[in-house]
Amino acid sequence: MTQQQPTILRMQGITKSFQGVRALDDVTLEVGAGTIHAICGENGAGKSTLMNVLSGVHPYGTYEGKIVFEGQAVTFKDIKESVAAGIAIIHQELTTIPELSITENIFIGNEITKFGLINWDLAKKRTTDLLSQVGLTMDPGTPIKYLGAGQQQLVEIAKALSKDVRLLILDEPTSSLNETESNNLLGIIKELKGRGITAIMISHKLNEIAMIADAVTVIRDGRVIETYPVTAGQVDENRIIRSMVGRTIENRYPLHESHPGEVIFEVADWCVEDPNVAGRMVCKHSNFYVRAGEIVGFAGLMGAGRTELMRSIFGHSYGIWRSGSVKLKGTQQKITSVDAAIRQGLAYLPEDRKVYGINLLDKISTTIVSANLKAILQHGLISLDAQQRVAEDYHEALNIKMANVNYGVTTLSGGNQQKVVLAKWLFTNPDTLILDEPTRGIDVGAKYEIYKLIHALADEGKAIILVSSELVELLGMADRIYTLFEGRITGMLKCDEANQEKLMRMMTSKTEAEPGSTTRETLHEIP
Amino acid sequence: MKYLKQIFSGDIRQYTMVIALVVFILVFHIASGGKVITPSNFQNLISGYFYVLLMALGMLMVIVIGQIDLSVGSVAAFTGMFLAITARDLGFPWWLAILASLIVGVAIGSLQGFWLSKLNVPGFITTLGGMMIFRGATIWISGSKSVPVPEELKIFGAGYLPDWGRELTGLNNLTLLLGIIGIAIYAFIQLRRRSRSAEVTGVKEGLWLVVLRIVLVGAVIGFLAYTFASGRKGTSFPVPGVTLIILIVFYQILTQRTRFGRSVYAVGGNKNAARLSGVNVPKTYFLTMLNMSVLATLAGIMFVGRTTAAGPADGNMWELDVIASVFIGGAAVSGGIGTVPSTMVGGMVMVVLSNGLQLLGVGADRTAVIKGCVLLIAVAFDILNKQQGRPSITGRLFPKKENPEEKAMEGP
Ligand SMILES: Nc1ncnc2c1ncn2[C@@H]1O[C@H](COP(=O)(O)OP(=O)(O)OP(=O)(O)O)[C@@H](O)[C@H]1O
Ligand SMILES: [Mg+2]
């Protein structure tokens, strides 16, 4: 790859502290015009912070250093100014407004007006055009809430395009997308590059970086470790990992020998109806079991009903329960509330952290104890000392990067927030742990830690259910894998007989399990 | 300024509201020619306006869960009137009338809680309905006339502590005793917190800081106790004030140290996450609304005790002062934020304004205008502060341990 492109952006000597804690330390970043520049680093390394400095989320004056964009020193005081200059940031978390239509979302704050009135016709026309640029063909009047996460991501990009963007910043754009959606998005970023739009992409998925990046910058503990040009398709992932974590990781998945015991978690004939669409079943006669000490994976495409299945089992917290039973350690239990589920030793780590996992107004310590306050009661009152101690314990055990356990959870980086939610569920000391996308947005090193933790939990005799969109992860971690398609369990494979192709086939076809066919019995048969 | 900051181990901006309160008191004191800081006025302040602070305790929780209760004034009026009528027309003894009134309060609260928790009708609507219904009902059952209440109730609304041993000190000794107990408890808590937090976090706060803090707060409590004690013979710290202090302590513990309290904040902060953490959201809604109506009933009973009669126009617009107190105290309209101590400071601001303006002879019309302006300015100031990434001025008024500089939320 030639690297003689002119520089579009130079950030020089950027230093930024939060309450005395350095998040960025003399960071220098140069981005060539028309390239895709990847930024890697562990959770809490300062990637998002650096981008927030660039886009004016942290205004000029709250950091040290200089930013030169398109040859001019810039001093953004808020996002509006950076947008006006041609920089658009797409955040780690979606910021679309669910009730508004695509058009409204794209032109909010930037409405096309004529004589002071919004010209909706023109806006719609332009939206259609913008959507086609990101490969979406849908009615611009569709409310955002009917779009999947991947499509919403594309709408955000379309919104950026509507503002004549020249530098597009994507903070973990694919963390909530499945593989097809991710590939689609990466294709679009590449296409935009063809049109001269520069992109900075933060991602923990090194394979994606390897696919499209022209240059890589690795940040660790707020400092740049190295920056170097790469050729898309020939990136040495191990080199990135090495500079990210400061050591080599031979295996992405720790070695582990499982010793499954008795079946302690069993679901039979589970049927759940969609709470919004009467008559539509989201779980159809699901049967599965998990042994003590076993890690069982659940694979399925977006919309296959994995999350819905798990949440409905977790104290009927989703949908309308129609039939089915849950057996814990051999005895049938009625678990109709989350409270009961927790008491019975179930834990569910939700997939969408911001919506279901965490109260953003809360402190780190109070979040960690929030699902098991009973354990820190003293004479009927919550013991703040115990709360502090528990939080400190998990702070260490999970290696959560934070300044103080009594700060708000929003002061944590995305990956560390995820660890806090994990800590919250570990503190309930469950027998069966349902992990819905537990490593979303988590760096390679921390992923490895979490995998080890999952193994340790399994070795303690806990039953682990692992829902993941990354087949590699399931193949690397699970002892058995169930596949779901349109609300139905379509098959089960032992880890040694599973591979990506087989799983993919089972995730996309209903052929294997006709209703009432023999599969149901065979699936449920416990060897 | 730097020392002040250290003493209160927090960001001085958090204390803006307390400073504003002190300034208000001093300004009114001077403007009225020394009428504000006197034993009798302090006693009036409490007996006359305790209901604002009392109901703000419940309203804080209602607002934290993201709801609002507009009916508190009407409910207080209705239950007060109900008490008066059962006593007069049914011949209930005073204690039975109080009991009956409280039961009615529980019933009203249950009803409002039911609409919200079971039928998902927003609190704004259910209590707007309640506001009209119970105002109308009050006028209806009273026939638009005042109804006298039993004499025995007076102690609850305008009573004083017994005057033991005034010959010796010339003061009300029980009030002094209360003040001393207050200082002792404060000192005890501060010292214990110091050693405990040293145990947990390993850093020990300088002893002189803690001592200075105890001396300062002790001086304030001591001054107040002395002022209340030095009134006319037969007066003291008023009984409603004692009730109020007990309730403030109770609600501080309830909100900060109990599972129910945590669920209130959890529901207000993120309903979905709360539910998936095992919080019973409808039950939290129900109990919070119920609690509010019970407190409104209590306020109604104490109020008629003070005025010795229940009137059809009692409790008019009380809800406004109460809601304003909570927001001046830094609570968020969207829920999840707010504490008891800062709400009490917000309430005191409203009370001192009402009282000070009255002493200056400002009419109800202009008083309302001024109070409205104060509300707007206080809340705008608070929001501006939050936007600059600083802590809410009053939202986290009194620092809990070790989080002196907790950062306000930075939105995406
Ligand atoms: N508002 C804040 N207040 C205090 N500390 C903060 C704040 N925002 C970020 N930090 C701290 O700065 C550091 C860098 O955070 P940042 O969000 O940039 O990490 P990141 O590299 O994006 O991580 P991730 O991959 O987990 O998203 C973290 O230690 C975090 O705790
Ligand atoms: Mg980040």
Side-chain angles (χ1 to χ4, degrees):
Chain A
M1 194 95 221
T2 64
Q3 35 173 310
Q4 294 317 356
Q5 305 99 343
T7 307
I8 185 170
L9 170 77
R10 203 174 74 238
M11 298 179 79
Q12 200 159 23
I14 305 289
T15 297
K16 162 94 193 159
S17 309
F18 294 104
Q19 292 126 29
V21 180
R22 279 220 168 153
L24 292 174
D25 190 359
D26 192 22
V27 168
T28 295
L29 177 73
E30 257 187 55
V31 179
T35 62
I36 298 176
H37 195 111
I39 298 186
C40 310
E42 290 181 288
N43 297 125
K47 306 178 297 292
S48 300
T49 307
L50 184 65
M51 292 305 112
N52 286 340
V53 164
L54 172 55
S55 60
V57 172
H58 298 314
Y60 180 71
T62 61
Y63 58 87
E64 289 158 41
K66 205 169 101 185
I67 303 175
V68 180
F69 180 62
E70 294 181 327
Q72 283 187 334
V74 289
T75 55
F76 302 131
K77 281 189 284 304
D78 52 32
I79 301 198
K80 264 199 209 120
E81 294 191 12
S82 68
V83 169
I87 299 177
I89 182 162
I90 292 170
H91 283 280
Q92 208 158 345
E93 263 94 27
L94 291 169
T95 54
T96 43
I97 304 168
E99 295 297 330
L100 296 186
S101 71
I102 298 179
T103 312
E104 286 166 319
N105 263 289
I106 287 183
F107 287 102
I108 192 159
N110 189 24
E111 290 85 357
I112 309 174
T113 53
K114 199 171 167 187
F115 312 122
L117 295 178
I118 299 180
N119 186 342
W120 283 119
D121 289 336
L122 188 56
K124 269 206 179 120
K125 241 206 229 114
R126 292 215 27 214
T127 306
T128 318
D129 177 46
L130 288 165
L131 289 181
S132 74
Q133 290 182 36
V134 294
L136 278 179
T137 48
M138 38 178 42
D139 181 1
T142 320
I144 285 283
K145 61 179 174 187
Y146 296 123
L147 273 59
Q151 292 168 326
Q152 291 189 32
Q153 197 72 267
L154 293 174
V155 169
E156 296 226 33
I157 294 183
K159 180 175 177 178
L161 293 179
S162 77
K163 293 175 191 159
D164 182 30
V165 61
R166 291 184 300 288
L167 175 61
L168 189 61
I169 303 169
L170 302 126
D171 194 349
E172 297 188 38
T174 60
S175 64
S176 48
L177 307 187
N178 64 26
E179 251 169 89
T180 334
E181 288 172 324
S182 301
N183 289 338
N184 180 29
L185 180 72
L186 296 177
I188 290 192
I189 297 174
K190 258 183 146 165
E191 223 173 277
L192 294 178
K193 171 186 155 189
R195 290 172 31 195
I197 297 178
T198 312
I200 296 180
M201 184 169 106
I202 297 176
S203 179
H204 290 295
K205 299 187 181 170
L206 301 183
N207 60 332
E208 294 177 351
I209 290 172
M211 272 161 62
I212 64 166
D214 299 312
V216 174
T217 293
V218 179
I219 301 183
R220 182 166 83 224
D221 291 334
R223 292 164 186 270
V224 173
I225 300 297
E226 56 177 348
T227 296
Y228 53 94
V230 293
T231 311
Q234 302 171 20
V235 180
D236 181 1
E237 292 184 30
N238 285 328
R239 175 172 174 191
I240 300 181
I241 295 175
R242 208 159 46 235
S243 38
M244 263 174 75
V245 299
R247 64 192 149 90
T248 40
I249 293 180
E250 267 88 53
N251 282 312
R252 299 278 175 90
Y253 302 94
L255 291 175
H256 176 250
E257 201 181 312
S258 65
H259 303 282
E262 299 278 292
V263 172
I264 59 167
F265 184 78
E266 208 177 339
V267 172
D269 196 38
W270 197 259
C271 292
V272 175
E273 191 179 323
D274 191 319
N276 300 316
V277 186
R280 182 176 166 265
M281 301 305 282
V282 282
C283 300
K284 300 168 190 162
H285 307 283
S286 300
N287 294 295
F288 67 92
Y289 65 90
V290 189
R291 294 195 187 88
E294 193 183 29
I295 302 170
V296 170
F298 274 79
L301 298 175
M302 203 68 100
R306 293 166 302 171
T307 294
E308 288 77 3
L309 172 64
M310 296 310 161
R311 279 185 54 198
S312 67
I313 291 170
F314 189 60
H316 295 187
S317 55
Y318 172 86
I320 307 159
W321 175 80
R322 285 299 177 211
S323 77
S325 61
V326 176
K327 258 194 205 165
L328 301 175
K329 294 182 176 156
T331 35
Q332 195 145 323
Q333 300 284 3
K334 269 221 150 26
I335 305 173
T336 52
S337 75
V338 173
D339 190 40
I342 295 173
R343 265 186 282 120
Q344 298 282 357
L346 249 59
Y348 170 71
L349 179 94
E351 63 165 349
D352 192 332
R353 183 176 58 240
K354 210 170 153 193
V355 179
Y356 296 107
I358 220 165
N359 171 5
L360 290 170
L361 300 173
D362 220 348
K363 295 190 293 187
I364 298 166
S365 54
T366 46
T367 303
I368 290 177
V369 297
S370 65
N372 192 14
L373 289 172
K374 238 179 281 168
I376 56 165
L377 290 187
Q378 218 173 42
H379 317 299
L381 294 184
I382 291 169
S383 157
L384 299 182
D385 291 343
Q387 169 178 303
Q388 177 91 11
R389 234 169 267 134
V390 169
E392 297 283 2
D393 285 351
Y394 281 105
H395 174 189
E396 255 169 56
L398 301 193
N399 194 12
I400 305 173
K401 201 170 268 182
M402 62 170 92
N404 185 318
V405 292
N406 285 315
Y407 282 178
V409 286
T410 43
T411 64
L412 293 173
S413 75
N416 285 304
Q417 282 182 13
Q418 182 74 354
K419 289 189 190 173
V420 166
V421 185
L422 189 60
K424 159 176 153 184
W425 286 111
L426 291 182
F427 185 54
T428 65
N429 192 22
D431 297 321
T432 303
L433 199 56
I434 306 173
L435 305 171
D436 201 346
E437 308 282 0
T439 61
R440 173 172 293 174
I442 287 193
D443 71 60
V444 232
K447 257 187 196 167
Y448 191 82
E449 303 283 318
I450 287 191
Y451 294 147
K452 278 208 301 209
L453 194 76
I454 293 176
H455 284 152
L457 292 168
D459 289 341
E460 277 173 36
K462 299 189 190 308
I464 312 270
I465 294 172
L466 179 64
V467 177
S468 176
S469 302
E470 285 180 65
L471 292 182
V472 207
E473 178 171 275
L474 290 176
L475 289 167
M477 287 298 294
D479 299 319
R480 288 183 296 127
I481 302 172
Y482 287 96
T483 53
L484 257 78
F485 176 72
E486 291 185 346
R488 197 182 293 285
I489 293 186
T490 54
M492 188 268 284
L493 289 176
K494 289 224 179 69
C495 136
D496 43 16
E497 56 195 32
N499 60 36
Q500 292 215 31
E501 289 71 47
K502 273 195 204 165
L503 287 174
M504 210 48 178
R505 206 158 351 103
M506 287 159 65
M507 282 157 58
T508 47
S509 69
K510 46 185 136 196
T511 50
E512 289 198 43
E514 265 90 51
S517 80
T518 51
T519 343
R520 230 167 77 195
E521 278 71 43
T522 45
L523 271 180
H524 199 55
E525 167 198 318
I526 299 160
Chain B
M1 218 49 172
K2 201 181 111 204
Y3 289 114
L4 258 175
K5 208 167 157 174
Q6 265 195 319
I7 291 165
F8 290 102
S9 68
D11 193 328
I12 196 69
R13 274 180 242 98
Q14 294 178 322
Y15 296 88
T16 316
M17 223 56 212
V18 180
I19 293 166
L21 180 62
V22 173
V23 169
F24 274 139
I25 294 176
L26 292 178
V27 167
F28 282 128
H29 187 69
I30 294 162
S32 63
K35 282 193 215 153
V36 173
I37 309 177
T38 66
S40 68
N41 187 54
F42 271 21
Q43 288 161 356
N44 279 337
L45 206 86
I46 300 283
S47 311
Y49 296 102
F50 67 85
Y51 62 86
V52 175
L53 298 171
L54 196 146
M55 292 194 294
L57 291 168
M59 191 64 80
L60 165 70
M61 289 162 70
V62 171
I63 287 173
V64 168
I65 59 169
Q67 301 291 337
I68 201 132
D69 191 337
L70 298 172
S71 70
V72 292
S74 300
V75 170
F78 180 75
T79 49
M81 183 57 78
F82 183 82
L83 185 157
I85 287 179
T86 51
R88 187 192 64 180
D89 296 352
L90 304 180
F92 279 19
W94 62 273
W95 54 270
L96 191 60
I98 288 182
L99 200 67
S101 165
L102 279 172
I103 290 172
V104 169
V106 169
I108 293 173
S110 306
L111 207 66
Q112 297 195 338
F114 170 79
W115 285 98
L116 173 63
S117 63
K118 287 283 174 311
L119 306 179
N120 282 322
V121 180
F124 185 87
I125 308 292
T126 59
T127 61
L128 182 63
M131 180 181 175
M132 298 195 268
I133 292 169
F134 296 111
R135 175 59 58 200
T138 309
I139 300 173
W140 192 355
I141 62 172
S142 67
S144 314
K145 287 194 200 68
S146 277
V147 179
V149 297
E151 270 296 306
E152 290 89 340
L153 282 176
K154 190 149 190 194
I155 177 106
F156 299 113
Y160 290 108
L161 301 172
D163 224 354
W164 289 331
R166 188 178 275 268
E167 312 77 45
L168 295 174
T169 53
L171 298 167
N172 181 284
N173 294 312
L174 269 181
T175 304
L176 288 185
L177 187 66
L178 269 181
I180 292 168
I181 293 174
I183 296 171
I185 291 178
Y186 183 78
F188 175 72
I189 290 176
Q190 284 297 324
L191 289 172
R192 197 179 65 155
R193 177 171 295 180
R194 176 170 176 269
S195 61
R196 283 263 182 122
S197 87
E199 239 173 71
V200 177
T201 59
V203 275
K204 207 155 192 164
E205 215 181 355
L207 186 64
W208 69 274
L209 270 178
V210 179
V211 170
L212 200 58
R213 200 181 300 152
I214 293 171
V215 169
L216 274 178
V217 173
V220 172
I221 299 179
F223 172 72
L224 288 175
Y226 176 79
T227 312
F228 278 112
S230 59
R232 269 181 304 108
K233 193 159 184 300
T235 66
S236 70
F237 188 58
V239 172
V242 177
T243 315
L244 195 58
I245 287 177
I246 293 171
L247 287 174
I248 290 173
V249 172
F250 174 77
Y251 279 96
Q252 170 68 4
I253 292 173
L254 183 74
T255 52
Q256 300 303 317
R257 298 289 297 279
T258 67
R259 298 176 71 192
F260 175 67
R262 286 285 166 91
S263 59
V264 166
Y265 285 96
V267 167
N270 183 345
K271 211 162 69 177
N272 292 318
R275 199 173 46 213
L276 282 177
S277 307
V279 171
N280 188 333
V281 178
K283 190 170 136 199
T284 307
Y285 277 157
F286 181 83
L287 289 176
T288 307
M289 297 308 280
L290 171 62
N291 172 66
M292 180 71 256
S293 291
V294 172
L295 280 180
T297 305
L298 200 58
I301 293 171
M302 288 163 69
F303 185 77
V304 295
R306 176 179 148 84
T307 53
T308 66
D314 285 354
N316 210 6
M317 309 243 259
W318 279 7
E319 58 279 348
L320 302 185
D321 275 357
V322 173
I323 292 170
S325 304
V326 178
F327 286 127
I328 292 178
V333 181
S334 49
I337 297 174
T339 64
V340 168
S342 32
T343 298
M344 288 301 100
V345 174
M348 284 305 294
V349 169
M350 292 307 279
V351 168
V352 166
L353 272 179
S354 305
N355 172 264
L357 291 168
Q358 194 190 10
L359 287 177
L360 291 182
V362 176
D365 46 356
R366 279 174 294 159
T367 302
V369 171
I370 293 170
K371 280 200 231 167
C373 292
V374 169
L375 171 69
L376 286 177
I377 292 167
V379 175
F381 198 59
D382 202 34
I383 289 176
L384 219 65
N385 246 298
K386 282 185 204 165
Q387 273 172 356
Q388 292 169 6
R390 293 196 203 112
S392 147
I393 309 165
T394 46
R396 306 238 155 84
L397 190 64
F398 293 87
K400 308 207 192 81
K401 356 174 192 181
E402 309 97 26
N403 64 335
E405 316 178 67
E406 175 167 324
K407 196 110 155 56
M409 308 307 140
E410 256 182 58

